[in-house]
Amino acid sequence: NAIGLCGGLIVGLIAVTPGCGYISFGGAMVIGVISPIVSNIALNKFQFLIDIDDTLDVWAFHGLGGTTGMILTSCFATDHVYEDDL
């Protein structure tokens, strides 16, 4: 549905934004695809198990999207992207 699509796009942007100066375009695409999947799994499976009352899904979007982006930024970070900007 449209709400799920918009949520996935937002999670992808949340995950890519902190590391955008250190990752290439391909790495950004991978992070933008993986992070919404992780967020969706957490939203549908784990949120009800740990009984979080989160009406706007902020925990899944910002918390897990940002954490996934941070971890994946360390995997896809390259030196040449940073050096080209200097």
Side-chain angles (χ1 to χ4, degrees):
N1 60 13
I3 294 173
L5 176 67
C6 291
L9 292 173
I10 290 171
V11 171
L13 290 173
I14 289 168
V16 167
T17 300
C20 65
Y22 302 101
I23 54 176
S24 63
F25 179 74
M29 294 296 288
V30 172
I31 291 172
V33 169
I34 292 175
S35 296
I37 294 170
V38 171
S39 179
N40 190 15
I41 290 170
L43 184 63
N44 291 330
K45 305 289 184 204
F46 299 120
Q47 186 173 9
F48 299 110
L49 292 176
I50 56 179
D51 198 29
I52 294 176
D53 185 22
D54 188 11
T55 306
L56 298 175
D57 301 327
V58 175
W59 172 77
F61 285 4
H62 291 275
L64 285 176
T67 303
T68 305
M70 176 184 63
I71 293 168
L72 290 177
T73 296
S74 67
C75 296
F76 293 108
T78 59
D79 291 335
H80 75 281
V81 174
Y82 182 73
E83 290 175 358
D84 289 343
D85 291 338
L86 290 177

